[in-house]
Amino acid sequence: MKSLGEGQYYLVREDVLTESMQKMLEAKRMLASGEEKTIQEATKRVGLSRSAYYKYKDTVFPFESIARERVLTIFIQLEDRKGSLATLLRLISEAKCNVLTIHQTIPVQGRANITLSLDVTEMPITMEEFMQRLKTPSFIDSVHLISSGAL
């Protein structure tokens, strides 16, 4: 049997969380909203020790905070033309996506490959529409979705 803490994740109801975990979540909410400015202020207000806050802060999250964030990894093959990467990045920016990582191969025989990881949390258009927009420039050979999921 695998012991707890070996990278397994669980979705649990709030009422089964320990009191310390619930207070830590409330302190994180206060900090995120600006209601409290420091960890010390937030933990004092909810009645939690700072050590308990630090113990749980990177391991317990509200479901909405994870489900809201989306990351796409896409693979693009394109013709190596001056300004092609700038055009591609403009299309991504116009779709309200944030570039997390970018890797471009050295062009061979006038072609290059680009792999992008994008935060699409704020993207107001559908995935299909976004992929179509990326395919519109004449220098794009192909666009493939490699993965999508939570951060």
Side-chain angles (χ1 to χ4, degrees):
M1 180 175 180
K2 196 180 217 182
S3 66
L4 290 177
E6 290 186 20
Q8 295 254 358
Y9 293 90
Y10 301 91
L11 182 62
V12 299
R13 279 191 336 259
E14 180 180 29
D15 62 330
V16 298
L17 294 175
T18 65
E19 184 179 352
S20 294
M21 290 176 180
Q22 291 179 19
K23 288 180 177 183
M24 181 277 307
L25 288 168
E26 178 62 14
K28 280 173 72 171
R29 186 200 61 74
M30 289 177 178
L31 291 164
S33 71
E35 196 174 325
E36 294 293 346
K37 302 291 184 221
T38 67
I39 292 170
Q40 181 157 345
E41 292 171 351
T43 55
K44 184 176 181 181
R45 185 161 162 200
V46 298
L48 180 69
S49 70
R50 286 187 347 171
S51 63
Y53 175 85
Y54 285 110
K55 179 179 180 180
Y56 298 120
K57 79 175 187 75
D58 293 326
T59 59
V60 180
F61 305 95
F63 177 74
E64 301 81 34
S65 70
I66 295 170
R68 187 176 344 143
E69 298 172 346
R70 297 184 301 155
V71 175
L72 290 183
T73 303
I74 55 176
F75 178 77
I76 302 169
Q77 294 176 311
L78 52 81
E79 182 181 343
D80 182 38
R81 288 191 203 167
K82 186 176 185 175
S84 59
L85 182 58
T87 300
L88 185 61
L89 292 175
R90 181 181 46 77
L91 290 171
I92 291 166
S93 176
E94 288 171 355
K96 304 285 189 254
C97 298
N98 183 35
V99 176
L100 301 173
T101 65
I102 182 169
H103 174 77
Q104 180 175 348
T105 62
I106 295 173
V108 175
Q109 297 181 348
R111 296 276 183 261
N113 298 321
I114 298 176
T115 304
L116 294 162
S117 292
L118 306 171
D119 178 348
V120 295
T121 305
E122 297 180 23
M123 186 171 70
I125 58 177
T126 66
M127 187 69 59
E128 293 76 21
E129 186 177 347
F130 178 62
M131 297 296 282
Q132 278 306 118
R133 287 184 186 184
L134 293 179
K135 293 175 184 177
T136 56
S138 61
F139 58 82
I140 299 289
D141 293 334
S142 64
V143 178
H144 300 281
L145 179 64
I146 295 175
S147 68
S148 65
L151 286 171

